[in-house]
Amino acid sequence: MFGSRERLYNSWVRDHYRFLFRSAWALTGSRTIAEEVVQDCFELAWRNMDQLRDRRLARAWLFQILRHEALRSLAEPNVPYDEEQDHRPGADAVTALEQRLDILRSMQKLSTMHREVLTLFYFEDMAVSEMAIALEVAPGTVLSRLNRARRALQQAMADSGAGARAASRGSAETAEIVELPRTGANAAARDK
């Protein structure tokens, strides 16, 4: 029914759509723009799929395309984050939503470069080596950007009072992103 080209493309959409959409939303700050950016990304991927030499790197390659499209779309004004569009459940839905909104609002104040590394590392759980490929920089540069992005996020949250609210609630997610570097056997194994 479908040729190998169509099967490959369909597998990309199936396997990477959610990752690309979340990344685009974090980078652009708008659900609507994110949807357009992801559509443009897949269109470009379809037209240029012969450029991907190693199919194991499809996620990083698709992110490169998405990143270029998101940066291009940033020339237009951003729509602020709308909490009504975020319907993720949590143990304590209200507290979890407030924590996530504090982080996302503060992230929107950061530069695109800082939002990229924080999104890929914390929200998409991408390894540093894969981030380096996706961002077209050295792994050491990724680590430097990540360190600066953590500091910038911590400052943005402190300026808005979000950091104090998160500390009073004992937010593990916020503490991990804002204060603590990733630790543990899983993180060490992934980042090799």
Side-chain angles (χ1 to χ4, degrees), residues 61-132:
W61 181 69
L62 288 167
F63 181 78
Q64 283 180 350
I65 296 169
L66 177 96
R67 179 177 175 240
H68 289 267
E69 289 302 301
L71 292 174
R72 191 180 56 75
S73 75
L74 288 176
E76 302 170 17
N78 284 342
V79 176
Y81 176 77
D82 181 4
E83 68 182 272
E84 301 214 0
Q85 297 289 334
D86 193 346
H87 300 290
R88 290 173 288 199
D92 177 5
V94 173
T95 302
L97 181 60
E98 287 174 356
Q99 291 169 351
R100 178 111 24 213
L101 289 173
D102 285 345
I103 293 168
L104 291 173
R105 282 186 191 116
S106 295
M107 282 182 66
Q108 291 306 311
K109 297 175 186 173
L110 303 179
S111 69
T112 302
M113 179 176 61
H114 289 156
R115 285 195 312 263
E116 282 177 343
V117 295
L118 290 172
T119 299
L120 293 176
F121 192 73
Y122 288 106
F123 295 104
E124 301 304 333
D125 204 31
M126 191 180 273
V128 169
S129 57
E130 195 175 353
M131 288 172 63

Side-chain angles (χ1 to χ4, degrees), residues 95-96 98-103 106 154 157-158 160-179:
T95 302
E98 287 174 356
Q99 291 169 351
R100 178 111 24 213
L101 289 173
D102 285 345
I103 293 168
S106 295
Q154 189 173 28
M157 291 185 78
S160 69
R165 287 193 303 274
S168 70
R169 289 191 298 256
S171 165
E173 179 181 343
T174 306
E176 179 181 314
I177 292 174
V178 176
E179 297 171 5

Side-chain angles (χ1 to χ4, degrees), residues 123-145:
F123 295 104
E124 301 304 333
D125 204 31
M126 191 180 273
V128 169
S129 57
E130 195 175 353
M131 288 172 63
I133 294 167
L135 298 172
E136 300 173 317
V137 296
T141 303
V142 170
L143 293 172
S144 296
R145 287 182 184 179

